[in-house]
Amino acid sequence: MKIVRDVSEIRSALESHRKAEQSIGFVPTMGALHAGHLSLMRAARSTTDVAVLSIFVNPLQFGPNEDFSRYPRSEERDFELAEEEKMDVVFIPRVEDMYPTDAAATVTVGRLGEIVEGAARPGHFDGVATVVAKLFNLVDADVAFFGQKDAQQAAVIKRMVKDLSFRTRIQVEPIVREADGLALSSRNVYLSPEDRRQAPMLNQALREGAAVIMDRGSVADAERRVAEVATGAGFEMDYGSVVDPETFEPWAGGPALIVIAARLGVTRLIDNLQVIGR
Ligand code: AMP
């Protein structure tokens, strides 16, 4: 497994594979790897000839009062896991190389980046789209793997790829959960033991919201139920909404996605659940 830290070296590191006409799979992450990331690495390993993992805690996607500086970092352990998952290349660039002080160009995705999670975290999706565009240009993968855990992020990336004609195909993998339903997240390490006991109620809230939709209840009733279950478990709601899975506009029939973001103590968690349309 090759570890590449220099932005100027990643293209040449992949050149021999490209010359040999091997397909390249790419898994972008912020590190602190867990089983959710491992499932993306396995999907890459089984889909493409060459598997590239990137680890980059992207300052551009964190707001001023968010957790950039204390975001969990575990480089050595991440390398071990990447090795176990048979990654060919780990790209772990430095912030100052990714964003020289004179860097000015960014990518925005319009309304999809500004509603729901985008409204709760202004600028977040522009930061995501910008770093992913840059990583896509450097790695030039055939397929890139994203988790359904960050459903709106996956939608934003698909939009960017389509609108800006990137050649990379996007493959979205299902959410990996703990046995009690809590979606795996690098931020779960922030949870106190008491918070950890309550945390699965975030998923429970989604399930109860979905049941309301399936029982032909109204969107308002479903959203009320989601908020009720989550706040009852001690969460402070950012949003709990039934949306269109592609546009993230309010749901108006067809397949629905229930998305939630809520805070438990110092920890902000997100989750989502697809609901068969009616
Ligand atoms: P992150 O390191 O949090 O930026 O996540 C990197 C990638 O892993 C993103 O595509 C996430 O959606 C995906 N991911 C994170 N958590 C999970 C999970 N529990 N299940 C599946 N994919 C996940």
Side-chain angles (χ1 to χ4, degrees):
M1 186 177 84
K2 193 184 262 177
I3 295 172
V4 178
R5 291 181 189 272
D6 287 320
V7 169
S8 59
E9 281 175 18
I10 185 66
R11 280 205 186 92
S12 52
L14 293 168
E15 205 165 280
S16 60
H17 298 295
R18 215 167 273 120
K19 279 213 177 99
E21 297 197 352
Q22 292 176 315
S23 59
I24 296 177
F26 179 38
V27 179
T29 77
M30 299 204 298
L33 302 179
H34 53 64
H37 299 115
L38 300 194
S39 86
L40 299 184
M41 287 192 259
R42 281 172 203 165
R45 188 67 284 158
S46 65
T47 308
T48 48
D49 300 322
V50 181
V52 181
L53 172 80
S54 71
I55 298 174
F56 182 60
V57 184
N58 174 32
L60 236 55
Q61 72 189 68
F62 287 79
N65 299 316
E66 293 183 0
D67 55 346
F68 175 70
S69 55
R70 67 186 181 104
Y71 192 83
R73 289 163 171 88
S74 53
E75 205 176 292
E76 288 309 316
R77 177 82 186 122
D78 289 354
F79 291 158
E80 284 171 20
L81 291 167
E83 182 96 59
E84 280 169 26
E85 296 304 326
K86 301 186 172 58
M87 293 296 99
D88 297 288
V89 177
V90 177
F91 180 41
I92 176 162
R94 300 175 194 89
V95 172
E96 58 273 25
D97 293 343
M98 286 291 276
Y99 302 122
T101 47
D102 61 348
T106 59
V107 178
T108 64
V109 288
R111 188 167 159 79
L112 175 59
E114 289 162 3
I115 57 179
V116 195
E117 180 75 353
R121 301 183 70 187
H124 170 68
F125 286 123
D126 289 357
V128 168
T130 301
V131 79
V132 171
K134 191 161 168 112
L135 291 168
F136 277 14
N137 280 329
L138 290 165
V139 174
D140 192 24
D142 294 272
V143 191
F145 299 83
F146 289 84
Q148 175 64 20
K149 163 79 192 330
D150 300 274
Q152 195 171 355
Q153 167 173 283
V156 160
I157 300 304
K158 282 183 179 167
R159 179 93 256 164
M160 177 188 85
V161 160
K162 183 165 181 272
D163 292 354
L164 300 182
S165 305
F166 279 86
R167 78 173 192 93
T168 305
R169 180 170 72 76
I170 305 304
Q171 188 165 316
V172 180
E173 294 292 322
I175 302 178
V176 177
R177 299 181 181 280
E178 303 282 6
D180 59 14
L182 176 65
L184 267 69
S185 164
S186 303
R187 289 189 168 98
N188 290 353
V189 298
Y190 299 151
L191 295 167
S192 68
E194 172 55 22
D195 290 345
R196 177 63 190 81
R197 277 191 288 278
Q198 292 301 317
M201 293 306 285
L202 196 72
N203 185 238
Q204 182 60 26
L206 292 174
R207 289 172 183 281
E208 297 202 17
V212 173
I213 297 285
M214 301 293 273
D215 289 349
R216 304 198 148 264
S218 69
V219 166
D221 282 347
E223 292 179 346
R224 209 171 297 125
R225 186 69 196 135
V226 169
E228 211 170 70
V229 175
T231 52
F235 279 93
E236 259 180 75
M237 293 294 290
D238 263 6
Y239 58 81
S241 310
V242 186
V243 300
D244 177 284
E246 278 176 28
T247 62
F248 282 71
E249 297 288 353
W251 180 59
L257 186 71
I258 311 188
V259 287
I260 189 169
R263 275 160 286 123
L264 198 53
V266 295
T267 316
R268 183 176 186 276
L269 298 177
I270 61 169
D271 197 355
N272 66 84
L273 185 64
Q274 283 153 312
V275 188
I276 311 299
R278 63 171 202 220

